[in-house]
Amino acid sequence: MKKTHIDIIDPIHDFVRVYDSELKIIDTPIFQRLRRIRQLSSAHLIYPGAQHTRFEHSLGVMHIASMAGHALYEKGLISVDDIQNLRFAGLLHDIGHGPFSHIFEELLQKKRHSHEDIGKEIILKTKIGDLISKNGYDKRFITKMAFGDSKFQFLNEIISGALSADIMDYLLRDGHFTGAEHAKIDHNRLTFSLDVYKNKLALDKSALVNFETMMISRYQMFKAVYFHKTVRAGEVMLLESMNLAEEELELTSMNLDDYLKLSDEVILSKLLSLPEHNSKLKTAKKIATDYQNRNLFKPVFELALTGTTITKKRMRDIREELSKSSKVDINEIFVDSSNTSSIPLSPSKKESKSIILLEVDNNKTKAKEIQISNIQLVSVMSGFMKILRVYTPAKNRKKVEMAAKSILGDLK
Amino acid sequence: MKKTHIDIIDPIHDFVRVYDSELKIIDTPIFQRLRRIRQLSSAHLIYPGAQHTRFEHSLGVMHIASMAGHALYEKGLISVDDIQNLRFAGLLHDIGHGPFSHIFEELLQKKRHSHEDIGKEIILKTKIGDLISKNGYDKRFITKMAFGDSKFQFLNEIISGALSADIMDYLLRDGHFTGAEHAKIDHNRLTFSLDVYKNKLALDKSALVNFETMMISRYQMFKAVYFHKTVRAGEVMLLESMNLAEEELELTSMNLDDYLKLSDEVILSKLLSLPEHNSKLKTAKKIATDYQNRNLFKPVFELALTGTTITKKRMRDIREELSKSSKVDINEIFVDSSNTSSIPLSPSKKESKSIILLEVDNNKTKAKEIQISNIQLVSVMSGFMKILRVYTPAKNRKKVEMAAKSILGDLK
Amino acid sequence: MKKTHIDIIDPIHDFVRVYDSELKIIDTPIFQRLRRIRQLSSAHLIYPGAQHTRFEHSLGVMHIASMAGHALYEKGLISVDDIQNLRFAGLLHDIGHGPFSHIFEELLQKKRHSHEDIGKEIILKTKIGDLISKNGYDKRFITKMAFGDSKFQFLNEIISGALSADIMDYLLRDGHFTGAEHAKIDHNRLTFSLDVYKNKLALDKSALVNFETMMISRYQMFKAVYFHKTVRAGEVMLLESMNLAEEELELTSMNLDDYLKLSDEVILSKLLSLPEHNSKLKTAKKIATDYQNRNLFKPVFELALTGTTITKKRMRDIREELSKSSKVDINEIFVDSSNTSSIPLSPSKKESKSIILLEVDNNKTKAKEIQISNIQLVSVMSGFMKILRVYTPAKNRKKVEMAAKSILGDLK
Amino acid sequence: MKKTHIDIIDPIHDFVRVYDSELKIIDTPIFQRLRRIRQLSSAHLIYPGAQHTRFEHSLGVMHIASMAGHALYEKGLISVDDIQNLRFAGLLHDIGHGPFSHIFEELLQKKRHSHEDIGKEIILKTKIGDLISKNGYDKRFITKMAFGDSKFQFLNEIISGALSADIMDYLLRDGHFTGAEHAKIDHNRLTFSLDVYKNKLALDKSALVNFETMMISRYQMFKAVYFHKTVRAGEVMLLESMNLAEEELELTSMNLDDYLKLSDEVILSKLLSLPEHNSKLKTAKKIATDYQNRNLFKPVFELALTGTTITKKRMRDIREELSKSSKVDINEIFVDSSNTSSIPLSPSKKESKSIILLEVDNNKTKAKEIQISNIQLVSVMSGFMKILRVYTPAKNRKKVEMAAKSILGDLK
């Protein structure tokens, strides 16, 4: 029997086929909420086109995961049902995201909590899980797949990781909507070339060039958008304001129902209308107001941390030293680092650091596992993506700049 | 002296150069408000990518108006100052728009009011006008140009009309963000080919093919997006809900300060939390809730009005007849027509119905004014763009469909 | 067992997968010959980018035919082997084409011969057929499919006709290489939506809009490229020169081996170095030389034949009348018509004039056959594509123009 | 007075405006010859779309040079006449190119000759120079500009070098026609941002990111196309065959008139029909025949020469050693290196190794000259672009591979 479907027009994939069972999920208020969470929290301040949301991205990930699934199915590696499992997992991989996406994630982390945890709760305990079950699929298995916990690592890797539907969709989509990049990420070629080796996702060697191109594109998007100095200024402000308001708003400890009412605009209006009981709340409100008026923090110092990684502790120390040396209040000094979890490219623990290449030679398949960091250009670019930056409100610019130069000038 | 500028990256124009005097205007809260008014009020329900706003469009219109200005300047037809005037007029031509753009416009019309009136007030009476004056430009002249009232008709036409920066930008932009269309509108060629004849905007005959292509693209966007039956279902619902709530909310009679606080999301949340004093308000709230839950009105009948135009009065009569015949409450029957002012392509009174083509023959310039409706294909397509549609909530579908067929089946 | 393949990078399809059995065919000199036959014989004179050949197009048709095949296979309508049959048929559908593609076709027609006849001979009698047989496929069946003679009409229609891989590939490819058009022909959507009804190819109704868009694109390409007045000037010259040289060169009566040595450049150099025994040959050589030097015939008159079709006989009569009236030698007057077989869009006898739309309603599939000419816009455009034109060398321009105006001014 | 012009449609630039004085040059047989010299001599064997020629590229370089000229003119740095000079120089910078472009260049070098020398001769001594003079421009100055010899270095640099119209056009064009790359090279932004500092071409610092993107694109094109191992196999074969046939054909010592009759196809047919007087000619003919039949040399060894440069002498030595060790005839072993002049990206002596960035700070312009090799990523990529490769006919594959591994395995 043919499954009923609709086709949703999408600027990245021309059209995304959505089957009836998926449409029912998409039409729940829980999923529709993703329409109110921008994919790139503050990027639209710099790239006005960047108004796209987690909603479209989720459809896109389902679409690419489905392509990847078909490729493995045609090679006899998975069943038709697993294609559908991959579709559900792709559709729902971001369902737990809070407002301002990765920014909220950093708040959650302090509670040893993550959007993945919330996502699991949503799939398992709300109507969404019921809709999956009613269609005869296993919501527990899909949840595991969506968040990297299934025992089939290669299925997890189709959802997230260096070769995932997630990265392919967001690079293409963020490039299209910002206008910053038009690099050709050949997701057709890449998904066609996927394979499995010892339970891990592998790539046909002939598509290595396409993988490299994608890594280059990631680097360019990192520089132009994800870690753009003004984009991050906005994000650092949102983070700071939410942090300061946390006791009052209890954003990270609310129950699921309340959580699901949050959106970018809702939180922003909460921050803009904070009571001014204490200095923390005053500052939080002030920062949000400055954000709204585009009166953004200024970057006063930047350092490439080639090689080195910098700990949270070290970042706090630097902040203190800068405050002492510059005589600027510590609450007006912000140290940002590109390996914070509030940027989309931060290396998650589970992200694979290697990639397996398969090559057919004399009808024998040879596998070779290479460290991503050993692909020459990729390794170089990764180095360039470790950056430390110092921000401060405009009025302190000179003082903090001087302090940073004297203290951090030789951090390397 | 060089003017300071920044370049804003834009997916349509690669980058939009913004001079300091313009940036000051853009950075006012009045202008930033446009970021919260979607270009296509309900289209994102069908085309998830259509999240773009009047903000980006306004930058784009400034950009194209500037290109048109340069073309005329190089032909010795206008001064450098007029390029700047065009830039300001392009930037501000939509500054008066209310939430849900053209939908709100229809509300305003009942008060014999328009976004143009509000736009004039904003430019002349707020900080925006001051910023223009401070830079040595004439805010009165710019206001006239922005809204079609200057005595130089060709300058007005660069801002709005069949060859305007407005139409070029919105077709390109709406196509890019919806994903519905990728027709090549060659705005480079079109603006390069602009000329002036007897105070009117003219086009070099060699670019007629590009004009025709643009008209085809407009037709395709009309069918696929602007008058798409589900997109319009959402818009008809918004319109109806706002109409019913007007006495309570006084959206169209508020003072300018309050008006400038409105946005798509703000109005929607007002409608969703209406008090339920009377049946009108109850219905208004119900419709808004259905809209939010994507429980949209159903189109039950459609008629091509080739040639004919249908009056507001006739539309009201049809509504009554349908109610009587179907025995469905008149408040649950909605007659929509493609020449309502709530769709972007509705013919404004001032829109030029002809286009002047210039041809150089033996070093003599010959002008020929042709009716747009006489360009064969365009005329045909215009006919196809006159459509009458009937909507009703799902439960009445059958009854209203039958009534419509019997009453309207022979309207032609 | 996996089939060995290579991926050929292609600007239209990103990459075209080519299996080993196909590669062996592609690597024969007979197939490589297609690299030396431009897709659009004279268009590169006007659109310098139009250097693409039948070679790339043939790969593209194989690719789209394969997509269409997969769509039917997934709906349970054909076997895996038929996908491969479609691939071979798509790859070889143009294998018989002579130099200057459609121009040569017109020469052949005089001998009641066609590129299809030659194509059949090539597949059945050369190494190409052997390569097919060796792989276990039926060269006779593939030949039938490639040239519209198989008893499965829907398979024939995937290769040529209004919904074919052929038209999709050439519109996309010609647009890309000329730069004339970027209309989005959604061949993914169209091929996905193919179906079969009573042995004919059908389309899911939801893709009707994509079919209409393709027809619009065809109209725009017709006007901008295929029947562009200067492009046709070049083609009319080639045709005339080859016609005059036919007795000497015997281009259309050579044996297959000699035929397979012909290419655009080879024929052009033959024409440029014709002996000048008689006035016919002198003229042929003169025209070829003028072509080479871009000293092209001038269009002096053009007439839209809305509705009417004009016979070959009538065209010859017009030529005579024009000669008499203008006192210009009949060999210097050329009457061109858009329904000559030397343009790519000429209606072949076998081209389907209707299209079948399928709609699922309450789980019942309803089919509706509509005349393509009844799709409103398409019908209008078809009318605009019937054109008669008169050409002459520059020196006779005035005389022939006047004669044409007086004789043909009222042909309608 | 307005200058008469036509607009040529071009897939890269939408349209290229061509003024009457330029059209006269373009319409000469000398210039039309460029239509018969492919931009990328053998790339079409791998990328079938790569049929584009020096003709389109020359128009494109004129177009971008003109944009660069306008940018400098608007900054008051050059006169209107210099824009026209730049246009002529851009149009003619490749006029001396021989068939197979850079391949022929390597032949010429042995005679201490270059396409630039021939280009100069063509502009100064043929009708082309006359056409320039007749329009009141100085053919001597234009010649200097076209080939890097004018005393205004920044004008030379607009034609060739790291920021030139040449590189921008060929990267965009080669990417479009091969389909290998779609990186966004923002030539609008780059040319807008050009400036002059101390007689050298400079770039506004804000466009550094666009320069970096272009360098990345160059790297990707180098790997995917220019130095692709199979593309180069074809080119090495052409070079070898022409070298062996040089005494017979005297390709590099013919007079200008004969030279101007050469084209890719003409030379190939000369090579295919060489007499077989001696073993050299026999081999030349054999190689050409193998090339024609796509029976290409096989790459058996590849070495990244990070840092090192390898001399012609060293390459000859390696060839000898490989022959001795493998016992394969030296004429069947070919050592290729990426810094040969037969690939488009070889560093010419005159290519600027540094780039000057201008930054405006407090209304003061600061200039900073940076080595291109000091732009981190660019430097890394340059390293990856130094490659040595060994080719041999298929039959010797194993022997030569083993010899190469033992001899060159430790060259680094």
Side-chain angles (χ1 to χ4, degrees), chain C residues 335-391:
Chain C
V335 181
D336 191 26
S337 139
S338 55
N339 66 337
T340 167
S341 55
S342 65
I343 69 155
L345 290 164
S346 90
S348 118
K349 289 143 292 176
K350 285 163 205 151
E351 188 172 310
S352 189
K353 296 216 173 347
S354 62
I355 183 172
I356 298 169
L357 297 179
L358 296 185
E359 192 175 9
V360 178
D361 199 13
N362 289 324
N363 288 320
K364 277 177 53 187
T365 299
K366 292 191 302 187
K368 194 173 144 191
E369 179 154 9
I370 55 172
Q371 299 302 304
I372 290 177
S373 58
N374 279 353
I375 305 175
Q376 296 171 298
L377 196 62
V378 175
S379 143
V380 176
M381 290 185 306
S382 303
F384 298 162
M385 289 199 274
K386 288 194 182 160
I387 291 168
L388 182 93
R389 245 194 234 123
V390 180
Y391 287 96

Side-chain angles (χ1 to χ4, degrees), chain B residues 17-223:
Chain B
R17 183 144 293 188
V18 174
Y19 294 103
D20 207 44
S21 57
E22 295 149 1
L23 189 59
K24 289 211 173 74
I25 291 171
I26 291 168
D27 276 345
T28 58
I30 300 176
F31 194 91
Q32 291 288 322
R33 179 184 69 101
L34 298 178
R35 285 190 193 269
R36 290 183 290 278
I37 299 176
R38 287 199 190 82
Q39 181 73 12
L40 299 172
S41 22
S42 293
H44 67 288
L45 294 179
I46 313 307
Y47 296 98
Q51 297 278 9
H52 56 302
T53 74
R54 295 273 148 193
F55 181 85
E56 303 93 275
H57 169 59
S58 297
L59 294 175
V61 173
M62 174 176 77
H63 181 77
I64 301 182
S66 186
M67 290 166 65
H70 268 101
L72 298 191
Y73 168 73
E74 294 211 345
K75 290 168 187 165
L77 297 165
I78 64 170
S79 68
V80 167
D81 273 358
D82 277 339
I83 300 180
Q84 185 59 57
N85 283 325
L86 281 167
R87 291 180 62 89
F88 282 129
L91 183 66
L92 295 170
H93 81 293
D94 267 357
I95 193 68
H97 253 303
F100 299 121
S101 301
H102 291 279
I103 315 266
F104 201 86
E105 198 60 17
E106 199 156 327
L107 277 191
L108 285 172
Q109 282 194 343
K110 301 204 173 168
K111 310 269 169 168
R112 309 192 179 286
H113 212 52
S114 74
H115 83 88
E116 280 96 347
D117 298 332
I118 302 175
K120 286 173 199 173
E121 197 182 341
I122 291 174
I123 308 183
L124 295 175
K125 299 192 182 159
T126 71
K127 199 190 164 188
I128 286 182
D130 301 343
L131 287 168
I132 292 173
S133 306
K134 202 179 293 178
N135 275 282
Y137 290 88
D138 177 352
K139 67 185 179 187
R140 242 159 280 276
F141 183 47
I142 286 163
T143 304
K144 285 186 176 157
M145 209 184 271
F147 302 111
D149 299 332
S150 105
K151 64 180 182 185
F152 301 103
Q153 194 187 323
F154 67 95
L155 292 180
N156 304 344
E157 289 180 85
I158 287 176
I159 305 303
S160 71
L163 276 172
S164 66
D166 184 34
I167 193 173
M168 293 183 212
D169 188 79
Y170 78 65
L171 287 175
L172 287 164
R173 193 169 299 276
D174 295 345
H176 183 85
F177 283 88
T178 56
E181 246 277 287
H182 297 290
K184 171 185 172 185
I185 295 170
D186 200 336
H187 60 298
N188 288 305
R189 186 95 200 267
L190 282 167
T191 52
F192 258 57
S193 304
L194 290 178
D195 212 315
V196 175
Y197 183 77
K198 293 191 179 169
N199 197 32
K200 286 183 182 168
L201 200 60
L203 189 68
D204 191 276
K205 200 189 162 198
S206 68
L208 180 58
V209 58
N210 305 96
F211 178 73
E212 195 181 296
T213 297
M214 185 165 74
M215 289 296 101
I216 290 175
S217 179
R218 185 167 97 144
Y219 165 73
Q220 293 182 297
M221 285 300 285
F222 172 84
K223 290 211 328 174

Side-chain angles (χ1 to χ4, degrees), chain D residues 215-271:
Chain D
M215 290 294 103
I216 290 175
S217 178
R218 184 166 98 143
Y219 165 73
Q220 291 182 298
M221 286 300 285
F222 172 84
K223 289 212 328 176
V225 181
Y226 304 136
F227 206 65
H228 182 285
K229 63 184 192 294
T230 320
V231 170
R232 278 304 290 173
E235 294 177 354
V236 163
M237 290 175 82
L238 287 174
L239 186 56
E240 191 67 19
S241 179
M242 287 197 277
N243 257 328
L244 292 167
E246 176 58 18
E247 269 172 52
E248 174 76 16
L249 300 178
E250 301 189 322
L251 293 171
T252 64
S253 52
M254 47 180 52
N255 64 44
L256 190 57
D257 276 358
D258 290 337
Y259 182 80
L260 293 176
K261 284 181 191 131
L262 298 177
S263 73
D264 290 9
E265 294 303 315
V266 165
I267 292 222
L268 194 55
S269 72
K270 277 182 197 293
L271 295 173

Side-chain angles (χ1 to χ4, degrees), chain A residues 179 182 184 212 376 384, chain D residues 179 182 184 212 223 376 384:
Chain A
H182 297 288
K184 171 186 172 185
E212 194 182 297
Q376 296 172 299
F384 298 162
Chain D
H182 297 289
K184 170 185 173 187
E212 194 182 296
K223 289 212 328 176
Q376 298 171 297
F384 297 162

